Amino acid sequence: MNSSSNETSAATTGALVAHSQAFAAIVDRLGASTLAVRGRRHAIASGVVWRDGIVVTAAHVFRHTPAAVTLVDGKGKSIEATLVGIDSSTDLAVFRIVGENALPPVAIGDAAGVRAGHLAIAVGRSGEGDAIASAGLVNRASGPWQTWLGGVVDRLIRLDGGVYEGLSGAPVADASGAVIGVATSALSRHYGIVVPASTVSRVVDALVSGGHVARPWLGIGAQPVPLPQRGGDPSAGTGLLISALAPGGPAERAGLLIGDIVVRVAGEAAADLRALRSALGAFVGKAATLSILRGGEAKELQVEVSERPAERRCG
């Protein structure tokens, strides 16, 4: 082997070592804010200190989410935490650490720029407190979506495989070490999902302030229908035909009628019920502008969006 080959081999080895050390540094950094969470029976999840004294983990590891849990830090020390609230629709549970908290919150990044092919590093802890880690690629990244449990998630970030045991609830970082979200195995049958940081922060805000996540409610039953074509445009899209109104509900109070077609909500297209709920999410307790078609005529109505009562099932 000539000197040139030796130099190339040494450079390659050096790059691999540097790459490995960079991974280990990210694991160490995230590990300082990561705990083990004991779930039902022998299930172990990970939890992450999202804010001072506030720990986020995966809700599905508990059959019935307890009022208090025992967390385990990197030194094997047990830490008690009390339940703040859960949002099963996004598979998030939030706990507050009892007493003083020496664990720093993670550095939260922005998941908006995550693309397929980007590196994703999940960091958690075993039941004994040892660091555990997994690295892979983002398999798919796209816009907002609704989970099978009805939760609205700001961005779909799907991993290229499942989530290893113990890593549900773990922080997931990008190549810079910034946390882009929290891992869960409960929102997809075949893939691991990263609940993006913006969704986690929104759920934490809601649970800390009110103990639950408010869901928007108009009090309508609706189904998608093709919108009338205008000027021969075949891509006019779809809207939501109102087929039922809850008596005394927000839509009825605002003057909406059966047969109206909801086209847009606050400028956002309302092509289906998922899009409608997503657009209404920021308006609970506030007025939203609905653009509708009534007898072919375009109208706008102001609707005071309510929080969905627990017993309601329509949109």
CSV table of all heavy atoms in Angstrom, one decimal, residues 206-237:
chain,number,residue,atom,x,y,z
A,206,ALA,N,-51.2,24.2,26.9
A,206,ALA,CA,-52.6,24.0,27.2
A,206,ALA,C,-52.8,23.2,28.5
A,206,ALA,O,-53.6,23.5,29.4
A,206,ALA,CB,-53.3,23.2,26.1
A,207,LEU,N,-51.9,22.2,28.7
A,207,LEU,CA,-52.1,21.3,29.9
A,207,LEU,C,-51.6,22.1,31.2
A,207,LEU,O,-52.2,21.9,32.2
A,207,LEU,CB,-51.3,20.0,29.8
A,207,LEU,CG,-51.8,19.1,28.7
A,207,LEU,CD1,-50.9,17.9,28.6
A,207,LEU,CD2,-53.2,18.6,28.9
A,208,VAL,N,-50.6,22.8,31.1
A,208,VAL,CA,-50.1,23.6,32.2
A,208,VAL,C,-51.1,24.7,32.6
A,208,VAL,O,-51.3,24.9,33.8
A,208,VAL,CB,-48.7,24.2,32.0
A,208,VAL,CG1,-48.3,25.2,33.0
A,208,VAL,CG2,-47.6,23.1,31.9
A,209,SER,N,-51.7,25.3,31.6
A,209,SER,CA,-52.6,26.4,32.0
A,209,SER,C,-54.0,25.9,32.3
A,209,SER,O,-54.7,26.5,33.2
A,209,SER,CB,-52.7,27.4,30.8
A,209,SER,OG,-53.3,26.7,29.6
A,210,GLY,N,-54.5,24.8,31.7
A,210,GLY,CA,-55.9,24.4,31.9
A,210,GLY,C,-56.1,23.0,32.3
A,210,GLY,O,-57.2,22.6,32.5
A,211,GLY,N,-55.0,22.2,32.2
A,211,GLY,CA,-55.2,20.7,32.5
A,211,GLY,C,-55.7,19.9,31.4
A,211,GLY,O,-55.8,18.7,31.5
A,212,HIS,N,-56.1,20.5,30.3
A,212,HIS,CA,-56.6,19.7,29.1
A,212,HIS,C,-56.3,20.5,27.9
A,212,HIS,O,-56.1,21.7,27.9
A,212,HIS,CB,-58.0,19.3,29.3
A,212,HIS,CG,-59.0,20.5,29.1
A,212,HIS,ND1,-59.1,21.5,30.1
A,212,HIS,CD2,-59.8,20.9,28.1
A,212,HIS,CE1,-59.9,22.4,29.7
A,212,HIS,NE2,-60.4,22.0,28.5
A,213,VAL,N,-56.5,19.9,26.7
A,213,VAL,CA,-56.3,20.5,25.4
A,213,VAL,C,-57.7,20.8,24.9
A,213,VAL,O,-58.5,19.9,24.7
A,213,VAL,CB,-55.5,19.7,24.4
A,213,VAL,CG1,-55.4,20.3,23.1
A,213,VAL,CG2,-54.1,19.4,25.0
A,214,ALA,N,-58.0,22.1,24.6
A,214,ALA,CA,-59.3,22.4,24.1
A,214,ALA,C,-59.4,22.1,22.6
A,214,ALA,O,-58.5,22.3,21.8
A,214,ALA,CB,-59.5,23.9,24.3
A,215,ARG,N,-60.5,21.4,22.3
A,215,ARG,CA,-60.8,21.1,20.9
A,215,ARG,C,-61.9,22.0,20.4
A,215,ARG,O,-62.9,22.2,21.0
A,215,ARG,CB,-61.3,19.6,20.8
A,215,ARG,CG,-60.3,18.6,21.3
A,215,ARG,CD,-59.0,18.6,20.6
A,215,ARG,NE,-58.1,17.7,21.1
A,215,ARG,CZ,-56.8,17.7,20.9
A,215,ARG,NH1,-56.2,18.6,20.1
A,215,ARG,NH2,-56.0,16.8,21.4
A,216,PRO,N,-61.8,22.5,19.1
A,216,PRO,CA,-62.8,23.4,18.6
A,216,PRO,C,-64.1,22.7,18.3
A,216,PRO,O,-64.1,21.5,17.9
A,216,PRO,CB,-62.1,23.9,17.3
A,216,PRO,CG,-61.2,22.9,16.9
A,216,PRO,CD,-60.7,22.3,18.2
A,217,TRP,N,-65.2,23.4,18.4
A,217,TRP,CA,-66.5,22.9,18.1
A,217,TRP,C,-67.4,23.9,17.4
A,217,TRP,O,-67.6,25.0,18.0
A,217,TRP,CB,-67.2,22.4,19.4
A,217,TRP,CG,-68.5,21.7,19.2
A,217,TRP,CD1,-68.8,20.6,18.5
A,217,TRP,CD2,-69.8,22.2,19.8
A,217,TRP,NE1,-70.1,20.3,18.6
A,217,TRP,CE2,-70.8,21.3,19.4
A,217,TRP,CE3,-70.1,23.2,20.7
A,217,TRP,CZ2,-72.1,21.4,19.8
A,217,TRP,CZ3,-71.4,23.3,21.1
A,217,TRP,CH2,-72.4,22.4,20.6
A,218,LEU,N,-68.0,23.6,16.3
A,218,LEU,CA,-68.9,24.4,15.6
A,218,LEU,C,-70.4,23.9,15.8
A,218,LEU,O,-71.3,24.7,15.7
A,218,LEU,CB,-68.6,24.5,14.1
A,218,LEU,CG,-67.5,25.3,13.6
A,218,LEU,CD1,-67.4,25.3,12.1
A,218,LEU,CD2,-67.5,26.8,14.2
A,219,GLY,N,-70.5,22.7,16.1
A,219,GLY,CA,-71.9,22.1,16.2
A,219,GLY,C,-72.5,21.8,14.8
A,219,GLY,O,-73.6,22.2,14.6
A,220,ILE,N,-71.7,21.2,13.9
A,220,ILE,CA,-72.3,20.9,12.6
A,220,ILE,C,-72.0,19.4,12.3
A,220,ILE,O,-71.0,18.8,12.8
A,220,ILE,CB,-71.7,21.8,11.5
A,220,ILE,CG1,-70.2,21.5,11.3
A,220,ILE,CG2,-72.0,23.2,11.7
A,220,ILE,CD1,-69.6,22.2,10.1
A,221,GLY,N,-72.8,18.9,11.4
A,221,GLY,CA,-72.5,17.6,10.7
A,221,GLY,C,-72.2,18.0,9.3
A,221,GLY,O,-73.0,18.9,8.7
A,222,ALA,N,-71.2,17.5,8.7
A,222,ALA,CA,-70.9,18.0,7.3
A,222,ALA,C,-70.2,16.9,6.5
A,222,ALA,O,-69.6,15.9,7.1
A,222,ALA,CB,-70.0,19.2,7.4
A,223,GLN,N,-70.2,17.0,5.2
A,223,GLN,CA,-69.5,16.1,4.3
A,223,GLN,C,-68.9,16.8,3.2
A,223,GLN,O,-69.5,17.8,2.7
A,223,GLN,CB,-70.5,15.0,3.8
A,223,GLN,CG,-71.7,15.5,3.0
A,223,GLN,CD,-72.7,14.5,2.7
A,223,GLN,OE1,-73.1,13.7,3.6
A,223,GLN,NE2,-73.1,14.5,1.5
A,224,PRO,N,-67.8,16.3,2.7
A,224,PRO,CA,-67.1,17.0,1.5
A,224,PRO,C,-68.0,16.9,0.3
A,224,PRO,O,-68.6,15.9,0.0
A,224,PRO,CB,-65.8,16.3,1.4
A,224,PRO,CG,-65.6,15.5,2.7
A,224,PRO,CD,-67.0,15.2,3.2
A,225,VAL,N,-68.0,18.0,-0.5
A,225,VAL,CA,-68.7,18.0,-1.8
A,225,VAL,C,-67.9,18.8,-2.8
A,225,VAL,O,-67.2,19.7,-2.3
A,225,VAL,CB,-70.1,18.6,-1.7
A,225,VAL,CG1,-71.1,17.8,-0.9
A,225,VAL,CG2,-70.1,20.1,-1.1
A,226,PRO,N,-68.0,18.5,-4.1
A,226,PRO,CA,-67.2,19.3,-5.1
A,226,PRO,C,-67.8,20.8,-5.1
A,226,PRO,O,-69.0,20.9,-5.0
A,226,PRO,CB,-67.5,18.6,-6.4
A,226,PRO,CG,-67.9,17.2,-6.0
A,226,PRO,CD,-68.6,17.4,-4.7
A,227,LEU,N,-67.0,21.7,-5.2
A,227,LEU,CA,-67.4,23.1,-5.3
A,227,LEU,C,-67.9,23.4,-6.7
A,227,LEU,O,-67.3,22.8,-7.7
A,227,LEU,CB,-66.3,24.1,-4.9
A,227,LEU,CG,-65.9,24.1,-3.4
A,227,LEU,CD1,-64.7,25.0,-3.2
A,227,LEU,CD2,-67.1,24.5,-2.5
A,228,PRO,N,-68.9,24.3,-6.9
A,228,PRO,CA,-69.3,24.6,-8.3
A,228,PRO,C,-68.1,25.2,-9.0
A,228,PRO,O,-67.3,26.0,-8.5
A,228,PRO,CB,-70.4,25.7,-8.0
A,228,PRO,CG,-70.9,25.4,-6.6
A,228,PRO,CD,-69.7,24.9,-5.9
A,229,GLN,N,-67.9,24.8,-10.3
A,229,GLN,CA,-66.9,25.3,-11.1
A,229,GLN,C,-67.2,26.8,-11.5
A,229,GLN,O,-68.3,27.1,-11.7
A,229,GLN,CB,-66.7,24.5,-12.3
A,229,GLN,CG,-66.2,23.1,-12.0
A,229,GLN,CD,-65.9,22.3,-13.3
A,229,GLN,OE1,-65.9,22.8,-14.4
A,229,GLN,NE2,-65.8,21.0,-13.2
A,230,ARG,N,-66.1,27.6,-11.5
A,230,ARG,CA,-66.3,28.9,-11.9
A,230,ARG,C,-65.4,29.2,-13.1
A,230,ARG,O,-64.2,29.0,-13.0
A,230,ARG,CB,-65.9,29.9,-10.7
A,230,ARG,CG,-66.8,29.7,-9.5
A,230,ARG,CD,-66.5,30.6,-8.4
A,230,ARG,NE,-67.4,30.5,-7.3
A,230,ARG,CZ,-67.4,31.2,-6.2
A,230,ARG,NH1,-66.5,32.2,-6.0
A,230,ARG,NH2,-68.3,31.0,-5.2
A,231,GLY,N,-66.0,29.7,-14.1
A,231,GLY,CA,-65.2,30.0,-15.3
A,231,GLY,C,-64.6,28.8,-16.0
A,231,GLY,O,-63.6,28.9,-16.6
A,232,GLY,N,-65.2,27.7,-15.8
A,232,GLY,CA,-64.7,26.5,-16.4
A,232,GLY,C,-63.5,25.9,-15.7
A,232,GLY,O,-62.9,25.0,-16.2
A,233,ASP,N,-63.2,26.4,-14.5
A,233,ASP,CA,-62.0,25.9,-13.8
A,233,ASP,C,-62.3,24.5,-13.2
A,233,ASP,O,-63.2,24.4,-12.3
A,233,ASP,CB,-61.6,26.9,-12.7
A,233,ASP,CG,-60.4,26.4,-11.9
A,233,ASP,OD1,-59.8,25.4,-12.3
A,233,ASP,OD2,-60.1,27.0,-10.9
A,234,PRO,N,-61.7,23.4,-13.7
A,234,PRO,CA,-62.0,22.1,-13.2
A,234,PRO,C,-61.4,21.8,-11.8
A,234,PRO,O,-61.6,20.8,-11.2
A,234,PRO,CB,-61.4,21.2,-14.2
A,234,PRO,CG,-60.2,22.0,-14.8
A,234,PRO,CD,-60.7,23.4,-14.7
A,235,SER,N,-60.5,22.7,-11.3
A,235,SER,CA,-59.8,22.5,-10.1
A,235,SER,C,-60.3,23.4,-8.9
A,235,SER,O,-59.6,23.9,-8.1
A,235,SER,CB,-58.3,22.8,-10.3
A,235,SER,OG,-58.1,24.1,-10.7
A,236,ALA,N,-61.7,23.5,-9.0
A,236,ALA,CA,-62.3,24.4,-8.0
A,236,ALA,C,-62.2,23.9,-6.6
A,236,ALA,O,-62.3,24.6,-5.6
A,236,ALA,CB,-63.8,24.7,-8.3
A,237,GLY,N,-62.0,22.5,-6.4
A,237,GLY,CA,-61.8,21.9,-5.1
A,237,GLY,C,-63.0,21.5,-4.5
A,237,GLY,O,-64.1,21.3,-5.1
